[in-house]
Amino acid sequence: MRILHTSDWHLGRAFHRVNMLGAQAEFIGHLVTTVRERDVDTVVVSGDVYDRAVPPLAAVELFDEALHRLADLGVPTVMISGNHDSARRLGVGAGLIGRAGIHLRTDASACGTPVMLEDGFGEVAFYGLPYLEPALVKDELGVEKAGHEAVLAAAMDRVRADLATRAPGTRSVVLAHAFVTGGEASDSERDITVGGVAAVPAGVFDGVDYAALGHLHGSQTITERVRYSGSPLPYSFSETDHRKTMWLVDLGADGSVGAERLDCPVPRALARIRGHLEDLLADPDLARHEEAWVEATLTDPVRPADPMARLSERFPHTLSLVFEPERAPDDPDVSYARRLAGRSDQEIAEDFVAHVRGAGPDAREQAVLQDVFDAVRADDTVREVAR
């Protein structure tokens, strides 16, 4: 069976101030063309179809168009909800839409109920594991303590239990939206840390032939059977070095996996440039970035006048301007943002406690802080979905 694996469309999201809806529509057209020209048997979309729980109307219309075009091809499609989607909203009408061959899986209780498809060698079971917010699904999945590994392991236990009842030789594909250990993150993914842990081991997917992952925006291979497709478009300058692709996966009669990366159309290259303003304006080596979307980091000791206007004369698509003056690390003028860069909310809170009372929190206090951060994040998720 030939499977086209994609994820993280984030319909409705902008890139800095650039509206990406046109590029997203171009990607949908590319997807449909690829399905037709490469004889794809099944499309899988591993979450974050939308960028937020209540997407703009134009994004909903584009999704509706995508569903119609995929249904017209007569090629089955399996989709799950991601951490940016409202599972309940995305799942509205799933039963009816399923009659057109578009199978939406947004309910944690249905993790062990596959979409059964066939090729010339027999049946393939597609299990959809939507994003599992631990605090919200732990009771449904019978997990005592909320955590990503625990809820995902419980969901996979249901998958393996169902697979054990299928005919011998039944092949299996799991769609999941999670942060798997070994994956490389970027700045554009929403933090899903719970209890200080965001990642789960790849071994949680043992027992299935292919795990089609979503959440991380860079296309990557965790193991030969566990892969991220990545987002089809860039959504932060941390993705400058990404090659935006989909996976074309050939699932053999014996469950063997072959995979090919297929490039996606990207509207404009990304570039990060750094240095003194005058050097950036004069450096001939930077000519290759003049038509790119640019993030410029200025290191001038004193902020120059009209930096954005001057940069835009040479790099008309400059979208982000960062100031990092060249100073010694112990300089008191080093920015607060730079001091906090790369630190988690938990670490910042612990530093604040240490600053206020002269000693950091003990183990019990660290646990209290972590529980509070987890509770707030879970509450934010509930509020966003309920809007």
Side-chain angles (χ1 to χ4, degrees):
M1 180 172 286
R2 175 161 283 185
I3 302 163
L4 187 61
H5 168 199
T6 179
S7 72
D8 296 274
W9 294 357
H10 288 279
L11 300 181
R13 184 167 184 163
F15 181 71
H16 290 263
R17 60 180 179 272
V18 176
N19 186 320
M20 296 290 278
L21 202 65
Q24 291 168 340
E26 184 178 357
F27 162 70
I28 296 299
H30 171 72
L31 172 72
V32 170
T33 298
T34 300
V35 171
R36 183 172 57 248
E37 294 182 351
R38 297 302 298 266
D39 297 322
V40 171
D41 298 305
T42 308
V43 176
V44 298
V45 186
S46 299
D48 281 353
V49 175
Y50 292 121
D51 188 56
R52 56 182 185 266
V54 185
L57 179 59
V60 177
E61 291 173 340
L62 180 56
F63 179 59
D64 180 65
E65 178 188 341
L67 294 185
H68 278 85
R69 295 180 70 177
L70 287 168
D72 287 345
L73 291 173
V75 174
T77 299
V78 184
M79 295 183 173
I80 61 172
S81 50
N83 62 301
H84 280 251
D85 299 308
S86 165
R88 293 177 64 183
R89 285 189 174 87
L90 188 64
V92 169
L96 185 61
I97 295 171
R99 297 181 187 178
I102 309 293
H103 306 280
L104 298 172
R105 291 294 183 264
T106 63
D107 188 350
S109 65
C111 287
T113 304
V115 176
M116 299 302 299
L117 302 176
E118 291 188 18
D119 64 7
F121 301 104
E123 290 188 318
V124 181
F126 287 80
Y127 296 91
L129 278 55
Y131 172 66
L132 302 173
E133 174 60 48
L136 303 183
V137 304
K138 67 182 184 67
D139 293 337
E140 169 62 41
L141 295 175
V143 174
E144 291 186 7
K145 184 173 176 58
H148 288 295
E149 184 174 355
V151 296
L152 197 53
M156 282 301 301
D157 285 344
R158 295 190 180 188
V159 168
R160 284 184 283 264
D162 179 84
L163 194 55
T165 69
R166 303 288 168 180
T170 299
R171 291 157 292 161
S172 55
V173 175
V174 165
L175 289 73
H177 197 86
F179 190 164
V180 174
T181 303
E184 183 177 343
S186 63
D187 293 341
S188 52
E189 299 112 7
R190 182 180 294 169
D191 181 28
I192 60 171
T193 300
V194 173
V197 178
V200 300
V204 75
F205 297 108
D206 287 351
V208 298
D209 294 308
Y210 185 69
L213 302 182
H215 179 58
L216 300 185
H217 288 183
S219 177
Q220 48 203 297
T221 300
I222 305 300
T223 72
E224 288 304 306
R225 296 185 180 275
V226 180
R227 299 172 187 265
Y228 283 99
S229 67
S231 61
L233 293 165
Y235 293 112
S236 75
F237 277 101
S238 64
E239 301 172 53
T240 297
D241 295 329
H242 286 189
R243 175 187 164 199
K244 295 302 182 182
T245 59
M246 301 178 287
W247 284 111
L248 187 66
V249 177
D250 285 318
L251 185 62
D254 59 353
S256 59
V257 172
E260 176 187 356
R261 288 179 72 183
L262 304 181
D263 290 298
C264 296
V266 177
R268 200 174 292 278
L270 306 186
R272 277 177 153 170
I273 59 177
R274 180 186 182 90
H276 289 199
L277 177 59
E278 296 300 334
D279 294 338
L280 298 181
L281 296 177
D283 188 348
D285 290 340
L286 298 181
R288 66 187 187 279
H289 300 315
E290 290 177 353
E291 295 303 317
W293 280 325
V294 169
E295 178 183 75
T297 299
L298 300 185
T299 60
D300 302 72
V302 177
R303 183 174 300 203
D306 299 322
M308 180 61 90
R310 295 174 66 191
L311 277 167
S312 296
E313 290 180 2
R314 182 179 188 190
F315 307 102
H317 306 288
T318 301
L319 300 181
S320 175
L321 188 56
V322 180
F323 294 97
E324 292 188 4
E326 294 172 340
R327 295 192 177 110
D330 57 352
D331 189 316
D333 290 331
V334 170
S335 74
Y336 182 64
R338 287 179 64 187
R339 294 200 301 272
L340 297 186
R343 302 184 65 75
S344 68
D345 290 342
Q346 175 88 10
E347 291 170 329
I348 293 169
E350 291 177 7
D351 287 348
F352 176 75
V353 172
H355 173 74
V356 169
R357 73 180 187 192
D362 59 26
R364 182 186 64 81
E365 292 168 330
Q366 288 176 333
V368 170
L369 283 171
Q370 188 63 68
D371 287 345
V372 170
F373 280 121
D374 290 347
V376 169
R377 192 179 53 78
D379 184 62
D380 285 345
T381 301
V382 172
R383 289 174 181 272
E384 183 174 9
V385 171
R387 284 193 298 149

